[in-house]
Amino acid sequence: MKSIFYTVSLTLLLFGPLAYAQDQMLTKEEAIDLVLENNLDIQVARNTKLIDDNNADILNSGYLPSVTGNASGSIDKQNSEGVLANGDTRTAEGAETRRYNAAVNVNYTLFDGLGRYYNYKSFKERSQQSELEVRQTIENTILQLFTVYYEAARLTENTATLEQALEISKDRLKRAQYQFEFGQNTGLDVLNAEVDINTDSINLLNSRQQLRNTMRDLNLILNRELSSQFSADTTVNFVPELQMESMFNEAQLNNVRLQIVEKDLNMGLNDIRVAKSGYLPTIGLTGTYGWNESNNNSPLAFVLQNTSTGVTGTVNLTWNLFDGGSTITGIKNAKIAYKNQEIAKKQIKLEVERDIRNAWDSYTNALYVLEVQEKNLQTNQNNFNRTDERYKLGQVTSIEFRQAQLNLLNAELAKSQAKYNAKLAELQMLQISGQLLNVDF
């Protein structure tokens, strides 16, 4: 039995410093700054938004003209023979003709049935929706961050509580050994104390291991070295004076899922208008500035060199009177898609209402459990203090003392769990109501 105790104690001596190698506190504010700067999911969401911003730029709108340039040159060598009006015959051996031309063309669509106008509006809506998606990613990431952060804080408290429990068990072992040496108890009390020390030591080892694992999980979210050491702030502050109706109203206005689906509706309406633009004509403008030059050394040629420059402008109108029904089909499909988006909005609205009411119930229940656990902790603390005094006087057995110690330990762990459960329930409610990014943590 003693060999087991010394083995566990040696293990604690080796692994204990690892759990407390943190030399600085990682505050909640610092954690938020790090996750906003380094988190990979947030970086991807922001890059996606940059793409949508580029698509919504005037350069992708179709409102600017297209300008093209082209040039060519050719050389032609021919043997030719010609008869003049007076009957003379002339020949040209290897007569060479050189031709050069260059032109700049400008094409501009004056009117396309408002198709590009509504496409451009859809790009703007998509850019705004992408910004909302960045916010959604940030909200989800921050909630994930604090789920892990508060778990690290809870394990930090648990580890300290288990260390305290181990110290109590060690003191009990010393007391039992002294009493055994003076013949005040049997060796059974010493063995029981050693068994309890082993149990407390193993629990402490497991808690320290869980804490190290949780710290690595948090470092992964923060996108920094997994071996980075820190200590978590165990202080929890609740947002005061939250009201159910206020949270419900805020959710209807600010919930990010509702705002995203609203952008889908706007883009769906623009898709219908784009499809209808197929009924209208397209008016285009084309302009060309050209240069042409031709050189001919043939004795049969009337002109040896010819150069011309000029500007050409054309206005054209195209009206697709019937396209085989593709425009009609496109309009029908766009309207059906819009109806589906309206259905999706109704579904999401119901889900948000359910989620906010469930979150409120979970929050209020968690606060009540926390209050009960705090009272339970106080009761068990008083009971342990009295039991400890009576144990020193020999009025209670070691088994009764151990039970009072375990009751206190369980009450401390339960109170710590209830505290962080209540805070996470509050954060989930704030996220659903769209207020997560507007509060202090």
Side-chain angles (χ1 to χ4, degrees), residues 151-376:
E151 178 64 9
R154 185 186 71 84
L155 290 170
T156 300
E157 287 187 350
N158 288 2
T159 301
T161 300
L162 291 170
E163 286 176 345
Q164 184 181 10
L166 180 60
E167 290 301 319
I168 294 174
S169 295
K170 288 180 179 180
D171 291 339
R172 175 184 155 211
L173 175 61
K174 291 179 181 179
R175 188 182 305 163
Q177 289 173 337
Y178 291 150
Q179 291 174 344
F180 177 71
E181 291 174 1
F182 289 99
Q184 297 178 358
N185 65 19
T186 65
L188 183 60
D189 288 340
V190 176
L191 293 176
N192 287 336
E194 289 182 351
V195 170
D196 292 337
I197 283 181
N198 287 335
T199 300
D200 293 343
S201 299
I202 292 172
N203 291 337
L204 179 57
L205 272 178
N206 291 335
S207 180
R208 286 178 173 174
Q209 181 60 50
Q210 292 174 3
L211 179 57
R212 288 194 293 269
N213 292 344
T214 304
M215 288 179 175
R216 282 188 281 268
D217 291 338
L218 187 58
N219 285 328
L220 178 63
I221 297 174
L222 298 177
N223 188 28
R224 64 178 189 171
E225 289 294 330
L226 298 181
S227 59
S228 298
Q229 298 293 322
F230 62 91
S231 59
D233 184 5
T234 58
T235 304
V236 171
N237 298 315
F238 293 95
V239 179
E241 300 179 357
L242 293 179
Q243 301 293 331
M244 174 58 203
E245 291 306 318
S246 175
M247 289 293 99
F248 179 77
N249 293 334
E250 290 290 346
Q252 300 300 313
L253 295 174
N254 299 317
N255 181 271
V256 69
R257 292 181 63 200
L258 287 176
Q259 293 181 348
I260 288 175
V261 76
E262 191 66 35
K263 294 299 179 182
D264 284 332
L265 282 171
N266 293 341
M267 288 186 287
L269 192 60
N270 288 332
D271 289 341
I272 296 175
R273 293 165 176 167
V274 169
K276 288 182 177 180
S277 68
Y279 287 139
L280 300 176
T282 299
I283 302 175
L285 174 65
T286 302
T288 303
Y289 175 80
W291 169 81
N292 295 275
E293 180 178 303
S294 175
N295 296 301
N296 191 345
N297 63 358
S298 172
L300 300 179
F302 292 100
V303 179
L304 298 182
Q305 180 174 347
N306 180 39
T307 303
S308 63
T309 58
V311 177
T312 302
T314 305
V315 177
N316 55 73
L317 182 147
T318 303
W319 198 335
N320 197 342
L321 299 179
F322 182 68
D323 60 359
S326 60
T327 298
I328 296 174
T329 302
I331 293 173
K332 289 181 177 179
N333 291 339
K335 288 182 177 180
I336 294 172
Y338 183 77
K339 289 181 180 179
N340 286 338
Q341 290 162 351
E342 287 182 321
I343 294 172
K345 180 181 179 180
K346 292 179 181 178
Q347 179 67 25
I348 292 175
K349 190 173 182 179
L350 288 173
E351 291 176 357
V352 169
E353 180 179 354
R354 177 206 61 191
D355 292 344
I356 192 64
R357 295 190 184 279
N358 289 347
W360 176 263
D361 288 344
S362 299
Y363 170 67
T364 53
N365 183 70
L367 287 181
Y368 175 75
V369 171
L370 174 59
E371 181 181 358
V372 172
Q373 292 294 353
E374 287 175 342
K375 293 179 181 179
N376 185 50

